[in-house]
Amino acid sequence: MKYLIILIFLPVLMACHSPKKESASKEEEKESFPTEKTGNNQPSETVDTLNNPLHPSWLADKSPREIGQMILDNKILPTDNDVTFRVMDSLSAKNADDRKFYFKVFIKILEKADGALAEMVGTPATKYVEIYTSEFLDQSANISKENFNSWASFVGWEILLSSNDDPVKDGELFIEKLLSNCPELTEKDRQRLKSFNNIVMRSIRENQE
């Protein structure tokens, strides 16, 4: 009788102990699987954020000049992100050779500017022309008429958006500043600047509410 009772309870005892062994086996497998540890000893996934266009750190290891060259080489497309904004801000760099390089990049950006990006090009375009008026006339002599007119239109749009009172008056003051920056111009450049200023004012008036 005693042996019969032992035989009856033996399967029950084995069933109670088997899940623990399985759980222990899973824990061993989990411990043996390699994971990357953070500074707080917490596991994390390895993600290459520098090469992920959707991540804020995209191309953070690249200089604006490197990014600008990538835009010129059609390796990346300019869009409304910090990467493109860093390049556009460099248009007014202190070094003349740098400005010459970024001028070419900015023209490329202008050609691609639409949507949200189009709303952002006006500020660097206006700043550059206002500070380096003569240089702008020299550099723009080699660009297409379409790009020249587009630049002026973006400047007019920027003046309109940034005006706190009378955008037409602000546009006229801006033009006076450009004229005072380069009083001695060839007749050809004078006519080009006049054309630029006319497009600026037309852009303001046509888009004014």
Side-chain angles (χ1 to χ4, degrees), residues 74-94:
N74 295 316
K75 292 182 179 179
I76 61 173
L77 291 176
T79 184
D80 58 322
N81 57 22
D82 290 340
V83 171
T84 304
F85 300 157
R86 286 168 58 198
V87 174
M88 292 197 299
D89 288 342
S90 300
L91 177 63
S92 296
K94 293 181 178 180

Side-chain angles (χ1 to χ4, degrees), residues 8 21 23 31 45-46 54 62 69 80 147 152 194 200:
I8 292 174
K21 290 181 180 180
S23 177
E31 288 296 327
E45 296 182 0
T46 301
L54 301 180
K62 303 292 185 183
Q69 190 61 55
D80 58 322
N147 286 333
K194 181 180 179 179
V200 169

Side-chain angles (χ1 to χ4, degrees), residues 65-205:
R65 193 176 186 90
E66 289 176 306
I67 297 171
Q69 190 61 55
M70 293 172 72
I71 292 175
L72 290 176
D73 295 339
N74 295 316
K75 292 182 179 179
I76 61 173
L77 291 176
T79 184
D80 58 322
N81 57 22
D82 290 340
V83 171
T84 304
F85 300 157
R86 286 168 58 198
V87 174
M88 292 197 299
D89 288 342
S90 300
L91 177 63
S92 296
K94 293 181 178 180
N95 184 278
D97 289 335
D98 288 339
R99 292 196 302 272
K100 184 176 181 180
F101 170 78
Y102 289 113
F103 186 93
K104 297 177 182 178
V105 181
F106 193 74
I107 291 298
K108 188 88 171 183
I109 294 174
L110 280 182
E111 294 174 346
K112 302 293 183 181
D114 58 2
L117 178 58
E119 299 176 3
M120 305 302 296
V121 299
T123 299
T126 303
K127 181 180 179 180
Y128 176 77
V129 174
E130 184 174 11
I131 299 175
Y132 304 105
T133 311
S134 296
E135 183 178 289
F136 168 74
L137 291 173
D138 291 339
Q139 295 295 327
S140 62
N142 300 316
I143 66 177
S144 68
K145 182 179 180 180
E146 181 180 358
N147 286 333
F148 183 83
N149 294 349
S150 177
W151 192 310
S153 295
F154 278 120
V155 169
W157 181 249
E158 178 63 23
I159 293 173
L160 174 63
L161 293 178
S162 60
S163 178
N164 294 320
D165 186 18
D166 185 351
V168 173
K169 181 62 177 179
D170 291 341
E172 292 172 347
L173 292 174
F174 177 79
I175 289 174
E176 290 179 9
K177 176 69 179 301
L178 300 189
L179 294 174
S180 66
N181 287 344
C182 44
E184 298 181 2
L185 290 174
T186 64
E187 182 60 28
K188 183 177 181 180
D189 282 343
R190 186 177 290 107
Q191 291 300 320
R192 292 179 62 246
L193 182 57
K194 181 180 179 179
S195 175
F196 183 88
N197 293 337
N198 288 339
I199 296 172
V200 169
M201 296 306 300
R202 184 167 66 245
S203 177
I204 294 174
R205 292 189 174 97

Side-chain angles (χ1 to χ4, degrees), residues 22-56:
E22 182 181 356
S23 177
S25 177
K26 289 183 178 180
E27 286 297 325
E28 291 175 1
E29 291 179 3
K30 183 177 180 180
E31 288 296 327
S32 64
F33 190 83
T35 58
E36 181 184 354
K37 299 290 183 178
T38 64
N40 297 324
N41 293 325
Q42 297 294 327
S44 64
E45 296 182 0
T46 301
V47 180
D48 189 359
T49 58
L50 296 177
N51 293 318
N52 181 2
L54 301 180
H55 196 278

